[in-house]
Amino acid sequence: MEITYYGQSCFLFKIGDHRVLFDPFISPNELAADIDVDSIKADFILLSHGHQDHVHDAEQIAKNNNATIIAIHEIATWFGNKGVEKTHPMNIGGKVTLPFGTVKMVTAVHSSSLPDGSNGGVAAGFVVETEEGTFYFAGDTALTYDMKLIPEQFDLDFALMPIGDNFTMDIHDALIASDFVQVDKFIAMHYDTFPYIKIDQEEVKEVAKMANKELILMEIGQSINL
């Protein structure tokens, strides 16, 4: 599958003929100034929680593409009330079968509210199982023992983990999380966008190398195949 990074926690997955976008926060992100939001094509938009740095461009991209927003019930309803025609509400532990595979909503330990202060339900992560591979999108989360349940149900090929600290896990907790979910390869997210989450990239690479983990730090606009 092809993965394109748009900054913060926003990734576009091309899975077969389908395009699956996670947590679009692009237009306010100075680091993503070269990305044209209107050029992004998506069939499905998965939102881990309601904070602005994860949902800011979701409405625009959904309406541009007639895409389906998949999120916890409160967030899906909020976007429906804003005129997004296609939404799919979920809740923790639920699973849905979609044209590209299955999506299970799993625990994330984090807060959630929407940009206007509306109730954002609770934060979540996703396990996505497809014919091209299975991966875990952790969302914004602390390290939690609930992660140990994931490999009891899924054989993951890789994960996407926050490493910016302050609001989420840091690299050290992310490495423990990678052991919990039993992956040796993970893509970093939720770092460098704001002063609170600035990291030393060379340091985190070295920490991951010492732990015998493959840490992938993507450039904004970069695409890779996994």
Side-chain angles (χ1 to χ4, degrees), residues 69-81 87-90:
I69 287 182
I70 299 168
I72 204 152
H73 173 78
E74 289 83 356
I75 295 174
T77 299
W78 190 79
F79 277 104
N81 290 337
T87 64
H88 185 98
M90 296 187 72

Side-chain angles (χ1 to χ4, degrees), residues 33-157:
D34 292 335
I35 305 299
D36 176 12
V37 172
D38 287 327
S39 72
I40 295 173
K41 305 301 181 185
D43 303 301
F44 299 91
I45 302 171
L46 276 64
L47 303 177
S48 65
H49 63 293
H51 290 161
Q52 182 175 354
D53 61 320
H54 296 261
V55 306
H56 185 276
D57 296 302
E59 179 184 351
Q60 180 176 342
I61 295 171
K63 289 179 177 178
N64 284 351
N65 293 276
N66 195 30
T68 301
I69 287 182
I70 299 168
I72 204 152
H73 173 78
E74 289 83 356
I75 295 174
T77 299
W78 190 79
F79 277 104
N81 290 337
K82 290 174 74 64
V84 174
E85 294 185 0
K86 296 164 65 176
T87 64
H88 185 98
M90 296 187 72
N91 217 314
I92 303 298
K95 187 176 177 180
V96 60
T97 299
L98 297 165
F100 60 87
T102 62
V103 173
K104 181 163 186 174
M105 182 174 276
V106 296
T107 302
V109 178
H110 193 69
S111 59
S112 182
S113 59
L114 287 152
D116 65 357
S118 296
N119 177 17
V122 297
F126 299 101
V127 178
V128 180
E129 191 172 28
T130 81
E131 291 184 356
E132 298 182 23
T134 301
F135 63 91
Y136 168 46
F137 182 89
D140 277 14
T141 189
L143 179 65
T144 170
Y145 251 55
D146 283 0
M147 294 171 179
K148 289 192 169 188
L149 295 173
I150 291 173
E152 294 186 11
Q153 296 179 300
F154 300 96
D155 182 12
L156 298 180
D157 294 293

